[in-house]
Amino acid sequence: MWYTIQRIPTYLTMKLFLDTANIAYVEEIASWGVLDGVTTNPSLVAKEGADFEKTVKAMGDLVPCVSAQVTATDSQEMIKQGEQYASWHKNVYVKVPMTVEGLKALTYFREKGIRTNTTLIFSANQAILAAKAGANIISPFIGRLDDAGQDGMGLIAEIMQIWNNYNFDTEVLVASTRHPRHIVEAAELGAHISTIPYALFKKLPNHPLTDSGIIKFQEDWESVKQ
Ligand code: E4P
């Protein structure tokens, strides 16, 4: 599906994040030289079963941006958790859910200079509120919207149109990506970041014509050598 954006801003590059709490996966993709950050969430952390603090510290040594999500629902408790996470590593971004309590915590973190990522964004109004509260990053979940019968990439188009109209310095991170075209379409819309699950990231370098092309080049080279 195509979406028309009237004025597309130019960024230095689109950032690619890995959506995981698995340190080995981060080491592997970081070794490709293309990884700009990592997003974790409580479900991903629970899946790995590893110590959260150790995981965040190890990932902070590998990439310049690691999102660590608060689990509290009250702003004061979010603030306590977020300050603790931020003390673990200079590359931590405190991930705060999009609620009224989350907005209060975002405002506090902005004043304290603690960087944030607002998660569970499902509407443009939520995106505007999080940006105005000072979020460094907002994370609209496109796959979950698609799963609910709505248009996830349409939300990204809407948000990027709004971002083109104003001077929000909040980066738009396309989350809950499910397939390779999501990454392309997010880039076409000028989204700043895509976070990508490991299995999907591993698909991105591949194309069958690349594979068959390499085999043909090798066969031709070997035939000349003989
Ligand atoms: C990233 O920050 C999100 O937590 C993640 O992309 C959610 O993906 P899911 O909808 O596949 O769980």
Side-chain angles (χ1 to χ4, degrees):
M1 184 176 289
W2 288 94
Y3 303 94
T4 305
I5 297 293
Q6 294 306 315
R7 289 179 287 130
I8 298 175
T10 306
Y11 303 106
L12 189 58
T13 181
M14 184 187 206
K15 293 181 195 168
L16 300 179
F17 286 11
L18 188 61
D19 199 21
T20 188
N22 183 305
I23 298 167
Y25 289 169
V26 177
E27 284 172 338
E28 180 186 341
I29 305 296
S31 76
W32 298 0
V34 301
L35 192 62
D36 301 296
V38 174
T39 47
T40 67
N41 65 38
S43 306
L44 293 170
V45 172
K47 188 174 146 198
E48 297 304 327
D51 180 80
F52 186 43
E53 181 177 346
K54 280 187 190 152
T55 299
V56 170
K57 285 177 173 172
M59 289 178 171
D61 287 341
L62 293 167
V63 290
C65 176
V66 181
S67 288
Q69 185 166 334
V70 298
T71 50
T73 52
D74 168 79
S75 62
Q76 290 309 313
E77 291 302 313
M78 287 177 178
I79 286 166
K80 272 189 210 158
Q81 272 189 325
E83 285 186 322
Q84 188 187 19
Y85 296 170
S87 74
W88 290 345
H89 201 286
K90 65 179 170 47
N91 292 339
V92 165
Y93 281 59
V94 178
K95 205 172 179 189
V96 178
M98 175 56 225
T99 60
V100 169
E101 290 300 301
L103 291 176
K104 294 178 197 170
L106 285 174
T107 305
Y108 173 88
F109 289 134
R110 176 183 55 190
E111 284 165 5
K112 292 288 174 188
I114 293 173
R115 291 173 299 183
T116 54
N117 172 1
T118 309
T119 190
L120 293 167
I121 298 275
F122 292 97
S123 77
N125 279 325
Q126 291 178 323
I128 292 168
L129 290 175
K132 285 187 68 71
N136 296 88
I137 296 172
I138 55 160
S139 294
F141 279 36
I142 61 167
R144 292 192 194 186
L145 274 175
D146 289 349
D147 293 344
Q150 296 181 44
D151 181 4
M153 201 56 76
L155 174 60
I156 302 302
E158 201 173 25
I159 292 171
M160 294 315 297
Q161 180 66 67
I162 293 164
W163 260 230
N164 282 340
N165 292 342
Y166 299 100
N167 287 322
F168 291 121
D169 57 5
T170 304
E171 292 183 292
V172 178
L173 180 156
V174 179
S176 189
T177 54
R178 300 268 199 264
H179 57 75
R181 285 302 301 174
H182 272 159
I183 316 308
V184 174
E185 289 169 13
E188 286 172 341
L189 290 169
H192 308 84
I193 307 166
S194 272
T195 194
I196 307 168
Y198 175 75
L200 174 52
F201 221 124
K202 293 275 283 182
K203 287 181 186 170
L204 300 185
N206 301 326
H207 195 285
L209 290 177
T210 305
D211 298 340
S212 58
I214 287 170
I215 290 167
K216 181 75 169 68
F217 283 149
Q218 282 175 336
E219 285 172 353
D220 289 347
W221 184 249
E222 289 302 323
S223 71
V224 171
K225 274 168 55 181
Q226 285 159 13

